[in-house]
Amino acid sequence: MQEKTLMKGNEAIAEAAILAGCRHYFGYPITPQTEVAAYMAKKMPKIGGTFLQAESEIAAINMVYGVASTGKLAMTSSSSPGIALKAEGISYLAGADLPALIVNVQRGGPGLGGIQPSQSDYFLATRGPGHGDFHVLVLAPASVQEMADLTGKAFELAMKYRMPAMLLADGTMGQMMEPVVLPEPKEPAAQSPAWAAVGTECKRFHNVVNSLYLDPLTLEHTNFERFERYAAVERDETMWEEFLMEDAEICVVSCGITARVSRNAIVEARKRGIKVGMIRPITLWPFPKKPLQAAAEKVKSFLCVELNMGQMKEDVELAIRCKKPVDLCCRVGGMIPSPDEVLAKIIKANEQGG
Amino acid sequence: MDYKRLTLFAGHYGSGKTNIALNYARWLRRQNLPVTIADLDIVNPYFRTKDSEAALAAEGIRLIVSEFANSNVDLPAMPKEAYELVSDPTVYGVLDIGGDDRGALALGRYVPAIKEEGSYEMLFVVNRSRPLTRTVADTLEVMGEIEEACNLPFTAIVNNTNLGLQTTASDVLSSLEYAQELSQKTGLPIKMTCAAGWLWEELTGKVPDLFPLSIQKLYYMIDSEVNSWQN
């Protein structure tokens, strides 16, 4: 096992991306994710990689498109307002079936909002950030270790299913420091994938990377084919963690920093004899519908703990077909609920029953 | 342990400067000195001295911090009162400098006055468990960049090797050799080796100039496993 390193979440993303074999980073500074770019700026030149501070977020995502077209691992990172700017480019990546990693270390909004942590880009990430019918893989880390692990996982899944992946962290995850065991280094792939636009050497028909289809029927078929892939992702790649769910009567649903706070509240509630557990979605798309449906058969109610006005709550209600009541505990604008605030909501849910 | 009128904590970002500065200010205050701590960090948006504002006030320690700290204003602003620290020789000042050369750049404007008075310690805080200061060679590079940026040479080293709330005594003990080597290469003494309170008993007598730390409270809401240990 490798030695533990004390890292900021943002540094862990950058180092894990390099260890996953990524040698192309394009970004533009914005709080609270700037350390990703700063780390890449320091390290990429030393290992023969490319760090490029683009003239804008839009330029950066289109540079990612360019490198991704050649079948190489490429990434960009930003925070909420910057991700909104990248939306067009993400749609083009999806339309061209290109793998790429987009890191979003969320801050409060809407608009310019603020620099303190948030989870208010849940809709933006899970509904396909851009125009057209598409999804991106969405992974939500809840520790600095997961910032590293899920960065590698995001690249792996993006490449496997030829689709963009978004690491959806909140500002706290980006800024907090925890010990990390870094993954084993992987060298960049020596061979390009069969679809990559890297030159034919007159040995094959040329590959085209494009999202424009002149024939409507062909465009319809590409959409159908893409959604067949999405079905496979939903079937095989959904990730979640269950905590004290065996006998739970209340099910907390939370991801990222609020899952960490909720865990404290749950431990405290258990000391008071309240049967409460948690389902923590790790992939937000695909959303862990199955464990929530199973929980809906057993628990009296659900409690979503989020740094937004209840965006994930809608997915929980949808997943369980509104079978049980779903309450919300939320803070926004850069505020984080304390364990006591979550505990109060758990106690209330317990008193109300189903 | 000796102290000077001004104590400056600089180093690689994430090395623990803010927390050590807070603990050092408390240590000075316990000796009945008039203490002011200044947060001159122009780099970090979260986890700042301001998180301990109420606790410091209760102990009679003055906090100088940018009015924009912990707000949504994303400005690398210096607190306007910071110059009081160098101009008023009756207070004992603890200066928390931003990380790396970029953070240390902001110190430059105070350096001529600090050098002229001559009663200061410029401390290099280092954590061997951080990715960019793992080796002595890498650490020397960071030190050089900071000294060049602020034009104030370091006078001593603070070994703050830790893995956050998961730190064990052996993490600290195994860093001593590295700190010694850094000391030999730079010719600077090791002023102290820091360790969180839960390691204090285990490390006493094994580590010279051990300095006990308590941790800013904010982290405790994230990890229930450590809630049982609170200072």
Side-chain angles (χ1 to χ4, degrees), chain A residues 12-22 40 73 75 99-101 103 137 139 141 144-160 165-167 181-186 237 239:
Chain A
I13 291 171
E15 184 61 40
I18 290 168
L19 292 172
C22 175
M40 289 299 197
L73 297 182
M75 73 178 286
L101 175 62
V103 173
L137 293 147
L139 297 103
V144 178
Q145 183 66 54
E146 277 193 353
M147 291 286 255
D149 295 345
L150 295 181
T151 295
K153 185 78 182 170
F155 271 125
E156 180 194 318
L157 293 178
M159 204 47 120
K160 182 174 174 188
M166 184 178 286
L167 191 77
V181 178
L182 290 165
E184 292 297 323
K186 283 185 201 162
E237 310 295 353
M239 292 164 67

Side-chain angles (χ1 to χ4, degrees), chain A residues 3-8 11 31-32 35 39 42 114-117 171-172 175-179 257 260 264 336-337 339, chain B residues 13-14 44-47 70-72 74 127-132 134 145 162-164 166 219-224 227:
Chain A
E3 210 175 347
K4 280 183 184 172
T5 309
L6 188 68
M7 298 184 100
K8 259 193 179 191
E11 295 173 325
T31 307
E35 292 86 358
Y39 197 92
K42 209 152 187 144
I115 61 169
Q116 300 295 327
T172 325
Q175 292 298 321
M176 65 190 268
M177 294 178 73
E178 285 181 318
I257 182 63
R260 296 286 291 273
N264 275 359
I336 300 175
Chain B
Y13 87 87
N44 257 337
Y46 307 168
F47 301 116
N70 283 14
S71 80
N72 274 331
D74 200 3
N127 177 356
R128 196 187 74 98
S129 297
R130 294 280 293 141
L132 301 181
R134 270 206 175 284
E145 285 167 1
N162 75 89
L163 288 168
Q166 294 180 24
Y219 267 92
Y220 289 105
M221 78 184 218
I222 298 169
D223 268 293
S224 53
N227 268 347

Side-chain angles (χ1 to χ4, degrees), chain A:
Chain A
M1 198 180 82
Q2 277 197 326
E3 210 175 347
K4 280 183 184 172
T5 309
L6 188 68
M7 298 184 100
K8 259 193 179 191
N10 286 336
E11 295 173 325
I13 291 171
E15 184 61 40
I18 290 168
L19 292 172
C22 175
R23 293 293 181 273
H24 296 87
Y25 172 91
F26 307 96
Y28 188 83
I30 180 171
T31 307
Q33 68 78 47
T34 302
E35 292 86 358
V36 182
Y39 197 92
M40 289 299 197
K42 209 152 187 144
K43 270 224 142 162
M44 279 298 196
K46 290 183 181 171
I47 55 170
T50 298
F51 163 83
L52 203 151
Q53 182 172 321
E55 66 269 36
S56 72
E57 286 88 348
I58 299 169
I61 191 73
N62 286 301
M63 291 170 185
V64 168
Y65 183 105
V67 171
S69 304
T70 70
K72 292 184 163 47
L73 297 182
M75 73 178 286
T76 184
S77 64
S78 190
S79 179
S80 308
I83 297 294
L85 286 168
K86 292 180 194 290
E88 180 194 64
I90 298 171
S91 170
Y92 276 60
L93 283 161
D97 296 312
L98 289 174
L101 175 62
I102 298 115
V103 173
N104 182 1
V105 185
Q106 302 163 88
R107 56 190 254 181
L112 201 48
I115 61 169
Q116 300 295 327
S118 164
Q119 297 171 340
S120 54
D121 298 344
Y122 181 90
F123 279 162
L124 180 139
T126 58
R127 267 61 181 169
H131 60 282
D133 255 328
F134 74 98
H135 284 293
V136 298
L137 293 147
V138 185
L139 297 103
S143 65
V144 178
Q145 183 66 54
E146 277 193 353
M147 291 286 255
D149 295 345
L150 295 181
T151 295
K153 185 78 182 170
F155 271 125
E156 180 194 318
L157 293 178
M159 204 47 120
K160 182 174 174 188
Y161 294 100
R162 286 185 65 181
M163 60 188 290
M166 184 178 286
L167 191 77
L168 190 69
D170 48 73
T172 325
M173 281 295 135
Q175 292 298 321
M176 65 190 268
M177 294 178 73
E178 285 181 318
V180 178
V181 178
L182 290 165
E184 292 297 323
K186 283 185 201 162
E187 282 303 309
Q191 281 234 291
S192 301
W195 49 263
V198 285
T200 64
E201 294 176 6
C202 298
K203 287 175 185 163
R204 58 167 169 79
F205 195 70
H206 64 269
N207 288 332
V208 175
V209 174
N210 189 17
S211 64
L212 173 68
Y213 292 87
L214 299 181
D215 171 28
L217 193 60
T218 312
L219 180 55
E220 185 184 44
H221 278 301
T222 63
N223 273 277
F224 285 160
E225 184 279 325
R226 197 168 293 128
F227 272 72
E228 279 170 24
R229 246 182 303 146
Y230 292 164
V233 175
E234 290 201 74
R235 189 186 63 231
D236 299 334
E237 310 295 353
T238 308
M239 292 164 67
W240 72 93
E241 182 191 55
E242 296 192 14
F243 177 61
L244 305 178
M245 278 303 293
E246 296 77 17
D247 62 342
E249 292 173 357
I250 300 162
C251 174
V252 172
V253 187
S254 191
C255 64
I257 182 63
T258 45
R260 296 286 291 273
V261 174
S262 298
R263 207 180 153 97
N264 275 359
I266 289 165
V267 169
E268 197 53 43
R270 283 270 170 181
K271 285 181 197 160
R272 297 167 190 224
I274 301 172
K275 289 182 176 168
V276 55
M278 175 161 62
I279 292 176
R280 174 172 73 89
I282 297 172
T283 52
L284 301 182
W285 193 89
F287 195 65
K289 293 175 191 164
K290 278 189 183 159
L292 287 165
Q293 283 159 0
E297 302 295 327
K298 302 188 301 182
V299 304
K300 289 177 186 162
S301 68
F302 290 82
L303 173 65
C304 284
V305 186
E306 309 184 54
L307 300 186
N308 60 57
M309 294 303 291
Q311 297 183 20
M312 189 168 64
K313 180 172 177 270
E314 289 194 11
D315 271 350
V316 174
E317 287 170 335
L318 200 58
I320 64 165
R321 299 288 186 259
C322 294
K323 201 166 183 172
K324 294 285 164 68
V326 185
D327 200 1
L328 174 68
C329 175
C330 74
R331 295 294 301 269
V332 294
M335 303 303 294
I336 300 175
S338 68
D340 286 343
E341 283 176 81
V342 181
L343 178 64
K345 280 278 189 178
I346 293 172
I347 292 170
K348 193 177 139 214
N350 188 49
E351 283 164 359
Q352 281 174 340

